[in-house]
Each structure stands twice: as structure tokens, then as C-alpha cells.
Amino acid sequence: MASSSKANLTEEEYEEEEVEHFDDFTLASSWERFISEIEATCRQWLADGPKNLLEKGAVHLDSSKIIYKVKSELKNAAKIYSMEYYFEINNTGKIADWNCTLHDLQLCFGVKEFLVISPQSASGVVLDAPEASKLLSAVAIALSNCSSLWPAFVPVHDPSRKAFIGIQNMGTVFTRRFEADRIGSQVPIKFMHLEGLYELFVSKFAYSTLDHSMHIFKVHLIMKLTYRTLPNDDEGDDDIQEADAENVESEVSLGDDNRNKKLWDDDCPWSEWYSAEDPVMDTGLMDSMHVGFDLVTTWSEKVVESSFEMAELENASPHEAEKWILVPNLSPNLDSSKGDRVGFGSQLQLLVNALDMPFEAQFMEDFVSVENPGSDNLKSSMVIPPPTVLERVVNDLFHEGLQLPDFAKGEHKSSRAIKAIAVLWIEFVREIRWCWEESQPLPKMPANGSIDLATCLINQKLQMLAICIEKKHELYEEFEDCIGSNDDASSHMEEDIQAGEKSTSFHAQSQGFDGKSDSPLTPKGFNGSKTVVSKFSTNSQDVCSADKSPSDSIRRGSAGPVGSMKLLKSCQSLHAPFTQNAPLMTEDMHEERLHAVEAFGDSFSFSAQLERETLSSDMSAFKAANPDAVFEDFIRWHSPRDWENDESEANGLSKNLAENVKDDWPPRGRLSQRMSDHGNLWRKIWNDAPILPAYEQKPLLDPNREGEKILHYLETVRPHQLLEQMICTAFRASADTLNQTKFGSLKQMTTKMDQLYRTMASTLRPLQVNLSSGNSETIEDLRRLCIVFEHVEKLLSLAASLHRKFIQAPRISEAIFSDYYNFYLPTMGMGSTDVDVQKEFDMKLQLRLNERHVVSNMFTPPTANQSWRKVLSMGNLLNGHEPILREIIFSMRENAGGSHYAASSPRGYQPEIETYRMYIRGTSNDLRVALSVTSHD
């Protein structure tokens, strides 16, 4: 019956049923069941293959870009073991000896995929030698049962020794055995030299009684030496620094360069404000991580036959190496998630935080006044800066010769910022008022008679106040001179009039507001045209003799004739007068005028009313320069488009003075319609204007009145208005400062600076048009702008540092910066969401032969402070620097046809077998050795 029922089953179902009911009584012990469990796990991993293992959750190693691992837990009696399988996706070709992506065991033993089995304990190693051997045997049996060639390793001894034992079935009758161990201190002097290491390797296969130095062994050798730039030598000044720290009490020597140390960024544009950490050079401040450059030199494979050759190799120059690879170790503070970097970005963040607080305050005094009951919530958690800090900043603003304080030493953060600003502003305005009352020039504020309308309103007010102070001082001096010379004024009247014309500071009428500046321009008519003749050209001849009439004797304030133009009522040349400067105006004054024009429409009379004082002054000066002039003459000069002349008059203006003008008088033409209207305001002003040259007129700018207005504005400015202007100015000034940095032809940096300016323009626009009051969205935009600014600032410091270090090899700086830019871009929030963000910047750049000297010069000879404790013992010096790490791979190879391996080799196929391999990794105070031996079983 059983046979008939089984006959109805398929072959696959029959096999499954047979397996299900089969009891293997050979698995008698727990150890055998442990081996079976290892075998089953390995068979599953072999069947899945690398691609399926990735889908099932294989973990990518942080230390390698191409290696993954899977893990399984195994139990044997009361112990639990962890078995890990390490593999690569593309497991083809020979493994490279110095591949930077290798796992430690791959590098030590020259293997590809491998197993590691270890106990799940605190140490993670097998401390008992018999247990380690038994565990390794179990894995070897399991791998042999499933025909796997994977090498297997077991960690042994103390974890700090990084010791392993291992085994690998080579597929035939060959077996490789592995062993690795490490000396963590007190390395024997012999093993610090290449000669001693060579003899250590030879001792593994040569007879122990031989003198290794006298015998020839064909040992294959490859070597890698790593050099590292030294940190700046600050240790020698430690005692001096401590003594200075104890004795420095006053702030007088703030601007002195302590200890005269030259920092890497002393000539960078930001150095006046702060000193940045060099992102690619160790400053000696970080002990946990090296910042600077590693230089890796690799030597091509060579065959060494004696220890004498090793001694010669130790004296060889690193320039003889086959490859030079530069490895930049950048500061972790470049990553925004690490460190507390001082710079413009962090200070701008404090300023923006301060803006988020003062909208409920009316005046800056509200933040420091103890009498204001409504300011309690504003004063919470706020601290007034110490008097020394306040005095230091004010002194820097109002006295020359001192540098700005270092931001890194400031103690006032976030919530304290607004109170610090309030106290400083109140003291600042006090100093400004003192300068005004004492008629003292405003420091660092040019009184050149112009106002830069591209700056913030407060700066415009200060520029105008500086002009008012200068005018006020001039008026006072003129008053004193007038009193002192009152007795002889009548006898020198004629000379004073002539001197007044020649030395007057008045110019012709301003050309008006152009959106850029508010400043005096050239006299009317003096625009470069050949038709304008200077008043000093006395030799020029007029066609009409009427110019020599007695009226010339009372002509005052003339800047010279205007080409061939003649007055309508007399055949005299029309003279352009010296006029007063148009009244200076700040941006808010211009806006008031524009609002007024918009409110009253484009009224010609209203426009004249706004310009009444200036217009009357120009008319008075014109009358003084042209005693016989009429209103139409003034219009022809002041507003030519309102004089409709015939073609001969128009052509006459473009001809030379004495050419074709004999029959052109009187000029023919008429006033425009708007100037001819009844009750025209311009004609009324002309009729009322007195005959006075500019130097006898009342100044259009009243310095006392305008100065007091400015001081009232500074004393009553709303806190949020002050901070909005400070923020806009601070961002622009900071960006302009950074934009002066020299970083070579790094296109990404240029693009990023352009993007920063565009982002600033769009983000700061609400502050410039007063749309930000209490707007939390604007505050958040400003905070994001601070983050963007800090990112750009960090990139710029890196670009500047690389540029100056590799100015003679720009390819190096461009390659390093480009790689770091691509690494840093996702952290700036500019990359796509599916970007695989690299956790650590890891770059290795192979140098060209013509670039080696540039890198070599970076390894300056060590100073006494840097090398007095070191005993140079490893050889292969680079400008006095010994390698910080030496890695060597020794190997012995034998042809299977000429040795005891030939018996098991197929006929006609006699491969070369690596019988011995030793990887050595050593520094001046530790040594790690990994040995693999191939044997015939």
C-alpha cells in the first residue's frame, strides 16, 4: 500500500517526504550539530549570491565603499557565536595591494570574500587557544562539506592586539593558514628598520641556523610610506602664553599682535574681523583628529635578494617612489553639524535673533531702562556688556589706530544681543551729539559733499551730518573772519568780490537725483561742449561791441559765456552763473517729495513750488551774472526745452563763438505753452528773485536745522528700524568682504558667491521696504539665509586656503575643492532627496611628476620643538620627516613544477604559487604583522 501511494507522488514530493522522515543518527554531539548549522548557513549564502544578499538586507561597511556583510547567529551549547560573511559586488580580478577600499583582513592576507566567526561577548574574541582552534576547525569542515573556498578567521587574544587565526581550503590539496598579531608598544629597534623586517620574513621559511644576511632569497617586495604635515609649532610659546594671560589686565593693548604670530589668514579680507581656522592645516588645537595633508608614496614591486639591499632601500629618497598620492584631511568644523565656528555667518545669526525681539519696544532705551514697567519681558535673560567691552568698541569707532575686537572672545549670544546693541547704540549717539556740538568731524565719515543713496538710511544721515558739521564749522570761521576784518572791509571790497568768484565752493545747478548719489555736479553749461567758454578766456572776441558796455563792470558771479548765446534785450553774451549746490537729501527726503508729487499729480506749478528755494537761488545768480537779462533768457539757459527757437538759433548753438553769428541777434523764438500760461509760477519767482550772486545768498542748506533733525532721528529711531538697517548692512558688508577673497579659478566658488548675492537680494527686500514688522516668515527666511551664508563662508575659507597652498599647482586645489564641493553640496540642502550622502570626506589624488616639488615644499624641516623628543628611526626621510606609517608586503613564490607542490598539480599546468606572504604595518611605536602560509596536505 505504501508503495502504491508513493507511486502517485511526483518525484519532487517523494524526495521531500523522504527528507522529512529521514533521521540522521550520525549527528550525535552538539559540536557536530554546530558544524551542520554552519554548513547550512554557508550553503544558503552561496545559493543566494551577492545580489540576492543585498536584497535581503546586507549591510554596507562605512570603512569601505564596495564591501558588504551579512550576519548569522549560531549556538553551541551555552555559547552564542556570530558568523559574518564579507563580500564584494563585483568579485572579479586580482585584488589590488594598496586599494584604499579594502577591509583590514583583505589587506593583511590578500583575500577577497571571507568569514569571521566570533563569540558574542564583551571582548568579541576567543581568549582560550584550544577553543579557538576547535572553532576554526568546525568552520573549515563546514566549508569543505559545501565545497566553499572562503577563508575563515577567528579573533583571538586581547582585542587591542587585533590578532586573528585563519584557514582556507585552496580547492586541491593546498591549504592556507593565517595568523596576525600586533605589538602595541616598545617595538624592538631591529624591527623599525627594513633590514630587520626582511630578516623576520625570511625566518619563516629559512633554516633557523642560517645567517640570513649572507644568503640570497628572491623575496618580492612592495612598500607604501605615508608622510604627514606637522602641526604649527605652538608648544614652545606655552610658558609665554600662560605668563601673558596672568598679566594682561587692561584693554589698551587690544590692537597689538600678541607674540607677533602670523596666522594663515592674516592677509585675507576677513582677518580684520576674526581669524578663521585653517581648514586644511593642523593648528595644534585638535588632538583627536589630524587636519592637514597625508602624502602616500608607493613603491613598485621589486625582488630583494639580501638584507643589504633592504638597508639601501631604507636610505632611498621618497622621490624615487612610483606614485605620490595626496590625501587631504579637512577640519571637521567644515561640516555644519560639527564644531562651533566663528565667522560672519554665526554673528549674523545673533543679529537676526535680536530682530525677533524688539517690535514691541518704542525706543532703544526701553531695553536698558529700569523705569519702564512694560519692558520686563524684553529684559529677561539679558546682560549689559561690560564697560570695558563698550569702551573698546566705541573707541574703535571714534578713534583711529585700533583694531576691532575678536568675535571669538565675545560673551554675548542670542538673547543678549539686542541689549548689547541698545547700550552700544545709546553710547554711539551720545558720541555723535558731542561731535555735533563741538563741531568735530565724524570719524571714518567723509565730508565730501555727497550722500551715497546706495547705503542704508542711517549711513546717509551720518554722511549728511558730517556735511552739516563741516558747513557749520565754515560758517563759524567766516563769522570770526568777518569780525576780525570789519575795519578794512570797505577798502578791500573789490578784491573780496573777485576772490569770492575765484575761490567760491559753489558750483552750478545740480543735475538732480539719479538714484545713486546726491552730490554737487558741474556748473550749468559746463558739460564739455565746445560752445561753453570759460570766464578766464578773456582773449576771445565777441562779434557785438555791446559786450564791452558798462554793464560788464557790475557782472558778478559769472562762470563765463555760454557759447554764442546772446541776451534778448542787448547784444551781450549770455553768461552761466555760479550757483549754489542743490540741497542734499537722504533717501527718506526723496521719498517724501515723490509721495507729494504722486498726491498732487504731475503738476508743473507744484513741481516749481517744491523747487522754489533752489529755483529762486538760480534766478538770483543768473540776474547777477547777466544784469540785462529777462525771464526768457533764464529759460533759454535753465530749461532749453521750454524755449521754442527757430532752426537758425538751434544751429547757432553748435557753432564756434565767432562763426555765423553777426546776423543772429536778436535771437528769434518764443516760450513754450506751459511757460506762457497766465500766472506761471516760474515768472512770479523770477520777478521776486533779488539780484545776488551765489556767494552773497543765504545758503540753501541750513546746517544747524538739518543737523538737529538728523540727531533727533538717531535718538528716536525705532529699534526694529535700526536692526533692519543693521541686518541689511551687515549682510552686504560681510558678503562684500568675503567677495574680495582670492581663490583662483574655482568656478564652483564663483557661482556660489553669485548665488549668495541673489539670495540676499530677495531675502532682504522685505526689510528694505519696511514689510517685515513682526513677520515671523521673514525672520525664518533670514535665519535660513544665515545658514546659507555660513555654508558659503566655510567653502570660501577652504578655497582660499587651497589656493594659497597650491598656487604653483592649481590643478591640485581645483581637484580637491571640486571633490569636496560635490561632497558638501547635499549637506547644504541643494542636492536631490535620493542623494547618497557620504559620511566622511575621503579623497586620494595622484600627483603628477611636475607637482611633486610643490607638495614636497609643504613638508618644511621640523623645528626643534617638534622633533626634540623624536628619534628618527624609520629612514626614507622627506625633508627631515620620517614616515608616520610604513606598510610592506613580502612574498615568496614558487613554481609548482620545481617543488614538492608539483606532485599534485595537473600535467602541463604548473602555476606560480605564493607560498609565503607577510603584511607589515608599522610606526615608530607599534608593529602589526600578518602572515599567510600555503602548505601541501
Side-chain angles (χ1 to χ4, degrees):
M1 292 294 293
S3 61
S4 62
S5 62
K6 290 185 178 180
N8 295 327
L9 297 175
T10 63
E11 182 178 355
E12 182 178 358
E13 293 173 340
Y14 176 80
E15 291 178 355
E16 291 179 357
E17 185 176 2
E18 288 291 321
V19 172
E20 183 179 354
H21 293 87
F22 177 75
D23 293 327
D24 188 356
F25 294 99
T26 61
L27 303 180
S29 67
S30 61
W31 189 252
E32 290 174 326
R33 287 192 293 270
F34 179 58
I35 295 174
S36 178
E37 189 176 355
I38 295 175
E39 180 182 343
T41 302
C42 291
R43 286 184 183 275
Q44 185 64 53
W45 288 343
L46 283 168
D48 287 338
K51 293 184 178 179
N52 290 331
L53 289 176
L54 284 180
E55 297 176 358
K56 291 183 177 182
V59 179
H60 180 258
L61 297 187
D62 293 338
S63 59
S64 176
K65 299 179 181 178
I66 61 173
I67 300 178
Y68 298 81
K69 74 173 181 179
V70 289
K71 183 178 180 180
S72 178
E73 290 186 358
L74 306 171
K75 187 174 182 180
N76 177 39
K79 289 190 176 182
I80 299 177
Y81 295 90
S82 173
M83 186 168 68
E84 296 174 330
Y85 169 47
Y86 294 81
F87 63 94
E88 299 177 6
I89 301 300
N90 299 318
N91 192 7
T92 59
K94 180 183 177 182
I95 191 167
D97 291 308
W98 303 128
N99 192 334
C100 60
T101 62
L102 294 179
H103 185 274
D104 179 60
L105 293 179
Q106 290 179 314
L107 186 60
C108 285
F109 301 113
V111 298
K112 287 188 176 180
E113 48 191 354
F114 58 92
L115 294 175
V116 175
I117 185 166
S118 59
Q120 289 191 351
S121 61
S123 63
V125 299
V126 181
L127 299 177
D128 183 59
E131 179 188 355
S133 300
K134 187 176 180 181
L135 184 61
L136 191 62
S137 299
V139 177
I141 294 171
L143 291 174
S144 179
N145 292 341
C146 58
S147 301
S148 173
L149 302 182
W150 294 343
F153 301 97
V154 175
V156 294
H157 305 308
D158 184 86
S160 63
R161 292 170 60 174
K162 298 181 180 179
F164 288 86
I165 59 173
I167 192 169
Q168 180 184 17
N169 178 15
M170 301 293 288
T172 55
V173 293
F174 299 128
T175 301
R176 293 178 71 187
R177 287 178 172 82
F178 309 98
E179 184 178 0
D181 207 341
R182 173 177 175 266
I183 302 175
S185 62
Q186 297 181 351
V187 179
I189 298 297
K190 178 180 181 180
F191 295 146
M192 291 185 181
H193 297 277
L194 295 181
E195 184 177 359
L197 296 175
Y198 168 81
E199 293 179 358
L200 173 64
F201 174 66
V202 171
S203 68
K204 299 301 178 181
F205 57 83
Y207 294 107
S208 59
T209 58
L210 293 179
D211 183 359
H212 302 152
S213 63
M214 301 302 295
H215 287 74
I216 296 177
F217 303 98
K218 293 186 178 298
V219 176
H220 295 262
L221 162 73
I222 58 174
M223 182 170 65
K224 181 172 78 169
L225 303 178
T226 302
Y227 300 86
R228 175 167 293 174
T229 54
L230 290 177
N232 292 341
D233 183 21
D234 293 336
E235 297 179 0
D237 295 330
D238 284 348
D239 296 337
I240 299 176
Q241 293 179 15
E242 292 177 2
D244 288 348
E246 295 176 358
N247 296 326
V248 172
E249 296 288 344
S250 71
E251 302 289 338
V252 178
S253 61
L254 173 67
D256 297 339
D257 185 9
N258 293 333
R259 295 170 295 279
N260 295 323
K261 290 184 180 179
K262 180 169 179 60
L263 302 174
W264 79 274
D265 59 348
D266 275 351
D267 56 348
C268 288
W270 63 75
S271 61
E272 183 181 357
W273 305 91
Y274 66 92
S275 178
E277 173 195 2
D278 191 343
V280 286
M281 187 57 66
D282 193 356
T283 59
L285 299 178
M286 291 187 300
D287 298 330
S288 59
M289 180 177 179
H290 170 70
V291 181
F293 291 97
D294 286 350
L295 174 62
V296 179
T297 62
T298 59
W299 304 70
S300 58
E301 182 175 308
K302 61 186 341 182
V303 177
V304 180
E305 298 183 347
S306 69
S307 56
F308 296 110
E309 293 185 39
M310 296 299 295
E312 293 178 359
L313 180 60
E314 185 171 312
N315 294 324
S317 168
H319 289 275
E320 299 178 19
E322 179 188 15
K323 294 179 181 178
W324 277 29
I325 299 174
L326 190 66
V327 182
N329 299 311
L330 304 184
S331 168
N333 289 340
L334 280 175
D335 185 351
S336 59
S337 63
K338 302 175 183 177
D340 185 17
R341 188 177 186 275
V342 175
F344 289 136
S346 60
Q347 302 303 311
L348 290 171
Q349 181 70 60
L350 298 177
L351 201 56
V352 171
N353 291 342
L355 177 63
D356 200 18
M357 303 178 62
F359 287 101
E360 54 190 291
Q362 293 293 324
F363 305 103
M364 296 303 294
E365 287 81 357
D366 292 345
F367 295 101
V368 295
S369 175
V370 296
E371 299 177 357
N372 187 354
S375 63
D376 291 341
N377 57 334
L378 297 175
K379 293 182 288 186
S380 61
S381 303
M382 295 183 184
V383 179
I384 298 177
T388 54
V389 175
L390 187 64
E391 181 182 0
R392 187 172 61 200
V393 177
V394 172
N395 284 342
D396 179 78
L397 291 173
F398 289 91
H399 302 282
E400 302 293 337
L402 292 178
Q403 296 180 354
L404 288 176
D406 187 355
F407 285 147
K409 300 178 181 178
E411 298 178 353
H412 315 292
K413 304 292 183 181
S414 298
S415 62
R416 305 179 182 181
I418 179 59
K419 194 165 190 177
I421 294 172
V423 174
L424 178 60
W425 177 255
I426 293 170
E427 188 64 27
F428 172 77
V429 174
R430 285 199 191 108
E431 292 289 337
I432 292 293
R433 177 164 283 283
W434 181 87
C435 291
W436 165 252
E437 292 175 350
E438 299 296 329
S439 297
Q440 295 298 316
L442 291 183
K444 304 178 182 179
M445 189 60 60
N448 55 7
S450 64
I451 296 177
D452 187 358
L453 297 176
T455 61
C456 71
L457 182 58
I458 290 178
N459 189 70
Q460 296 176 39
K461 296 289 187 182
L462 293 175
Q463 287 179 336
M464 189 166 185
L465 183 62
I467 296 172
C468 290
I469 291 175
E470 184 183 33
K471 295 295 184 184
K472 179 182 175 183
H473 184 69
E474 289 177 356
L475 290 176
Y476 178 78
E477 288 185 343
E478 290 177 3
F479 177 75
E480 293 291 330
D481 293 342
C482 181
I483 294 177
S485 59
N486 188 43
D487 294 339
D488 57 345
S490 56
S491 61
H492 297 285
M493 182 178 297
E494 189 68 27
E495 290 83 357
D496 288 343
I497 293 174
Q498 295 176 0
E501 289 189 3
K502 295 181 180 180
S503 63
T504 180
S505 62
F506 295 114
H507 297 281
Q509 181 184 13
S510 170
Q511 294 181 357
F513 172 51
D514 61 359
K516 297 295 183 183
S517 64
D518 200 76
S519 60
L521 300 174
T522 57
K524 273 193 180 297
F526 280 69
N527 56 4
S529 172
K530 294 181 180 180
T531 61
V532 179
V533 180
S534 171
K535 67 174 182 177
F536 302 112
S537 302
T538 56
N539 293 332
S540 58
Q541 298 179 353
D542 291 331
V543 175
C544 299
S545 59
D547 278 343
K548 303 183 184 299
S549 67
S551 62
D552 282 334
S553 61
I554 59 173
R555 191 188 301 275
R556 295 180 297 163
S558 170
V562 182
S564 61
M565 293 183 66
K566 303 294 180 182
L567 299 177
L568 291 173
K569 299 303 182 181
S570 65
C571 190
Q572 296 181 27
S573 296
L574 188 151
H575 282 240
F578 283 108
T579 60
Q580 289 196 61
N581 297 335
L584 297 173
M585 291 189 291
T586 56
E587 185 178 2
D588 58 335
M589 298 168 67
H590 282 290
E591 290 179 354
E592 289 178 3
R593 296 172 68 88
L594 290 176
H595 291 328
V597 171
E598 292 175 357
F600 289 90
D602 190 14
S603 171
F604 175 66
S605 297
F606 179 73
S607 176
Q609 187 66 38
L610 289 177
E611 301 287 344
R612 185 183 186 95
E613 292 186 0
T614 304
L615 198 58
S616 176
S617 173
D618 290 349
M619 289 178 174
S620 295
F622 187 83
K623 285 182 177 182
N626 301 278
D628 297 330
V630 294
F631 175 67
E632 286 79 2
D633 291 321
F634 177 77
I635 296 300
R636 292 167 58 215
W637 168 73
H638 188 279
S639 182
R641 66 190 183 96
D642 286 307
W643 176 257
E644 300 173 356
N645 53 349
D646 59 18
E647 184 177 356
S648 62
E649 172 71 7
N651 292 337
L653 292 176
S654 61
K655 296 178 182 179
N656 292 331
L657 180 65
E659 184 179 328
N660 297 330
V661 296
K662 185 175 182 179
D663 299 327
D664 286 346
W665 189 87
R668 292 179 291 275
R670 69 191 68 82
L671 292 174
S672 64
Q673 180 63 37
R674 66 174 186 169
M675 289 294 179
S676 303
D677 289 344
H678 178 70
N680 178 268
L681 184 60
W682 280 50
R683 187 177 291 274
K684 184 177 184 306
I685 297 174
W686 170 267
N687 294 334
D688 295 339
I691 303 175
L692 288 175
Y695 55 83
E696 293 183 6
Q697 298 175 14
K698 177 184 177 181
L700 293 176
L701 175 67
D702 185 346
N704 292 293
R705 181 186 61 188
E706 296 300 330
E708 289 295 338
K709 283 183 179 180
I710 294 171
L711 286 169
H712 176 73
Y713 170 82
L714 297 177
E715 292 170 343
T716 61
V717 62
R718 294 286 299 273
H720 73 89
Q721 294 176 343
L722 171 63
L723 286 168
E724 287 170 356
Q725 296 184 57
M726 288 179 66
I727 287 174
C728 292
T729 302
F731 269 104
R732 181 59 185 266
S734 300
D736 288 347
T737 300
L738 294 180
N739 200 36
Q740 301 173 30
T741 307
K742 297 178 181 179
F743 50 79
S745 57
L746 301 178
K747 296 181 180 179
Q748 298 102 323
M749 194 68 251
T750 302
T751 302
K752 189 56 63 178
M753 285 301 299
D754 293 340
Q755 292 176 353
L756 176 62
Y757 274 104
R758 291 195 294 269
T759 304
M760 285 171 46
S762 60
T763 306
L764 298 177
R765 189 170 293 114
L767 302 185
Q768 297 168 335
V769 294
N770 298 321
L771 295 179
S772 65
S773 300
N775 191 336
S776 59
E777 183 177 349
T778 301
I779 299 297
E780 291 304 315
D781 289 343
L782 290 172
R783 289 195 173 109
R784 284 191 287 269
L785 178 60
C786 291
I787 296 174
V788 172
F789 197 101
E790 190 168 1
H791 284 312
V792 175
E793 192 173 11
K794 291 175 181 178
L795 287 175
L796 193 61
S797 66
L798 174 63
S801 179
L802 291 173
H803 172 64
R804 61 185 54 213
K805 288 177 176 61
F806 300 108
I807 194 169
Q808 295 181 343
R811 186 191 74 91
I812 300 178
S813 60
E814 292 172 6
I816 296 175
F817 184 82
S818 179
D819 268 34
Y820 185 80
Y821 181 84
N822 294 330
F823 159 78
Y824 193 67
L825 193 61
T827 67
M828 298 178 67
M830 305 297 291
S832 59
T833 56
D834 58 348
V835 173
D836 183 14
V837 179
Q838 186 179 342
K839 294 184 179 180
E840 298 290 343
F841 178 66
D842 182 21
M843 179 195 182
K844 294 174 175 58
L845 177 66
Q846 183 170 340
L847 301 177
R848 299 171 180 172
L849 288 176
N850 61 345
E851 296 169 339
R852 290 189 178 187
H853 75 282
V854 177
V855 175
S856 177
N857 291 336
M858 295 175 59
F859 291 84
T860 56
T863 64
N865 288 331
Q866 292 169 332
S867 60
W868 72 271
R869 291 185 300 268
K870 291 180 66 72
V871 178
L872 300 180
S873 56
M874 298 179 65
N876 300 113
L877 300 182
L878 175 61
N879 297 342
H881 296 256
E882 69 175 9
I884 63 164
L885 177 64
R886 177 168 56 197
E887 296 174 85
I888 302 173
I889 298 178
F890 291 112
S891 62
M892 277 291 291
R893 302 167 191 169
E894 293 189 24
N895 193 299
S899 67
H900 67 281
Y901 298 101
S904 57
S905 299
R907 182 176 298 178
Y909 177 70
Q910 299 176 350
E912 189 177 54
I913 298 176
E914 187 178 66
T915 56
Y916 291 87
R917 183 186 189 272
M918 179 180 283
Y919 168 77
I920 299 174
R921 176 187 177 93
T923 66
S924 59
N925 55 13
D926 77 341
L927 181 68
R928 189 180 187 195
V929 178
L931 177 66
S932 63
V933 180
T934 304
S935 62
H936 176 268
D937 295 334

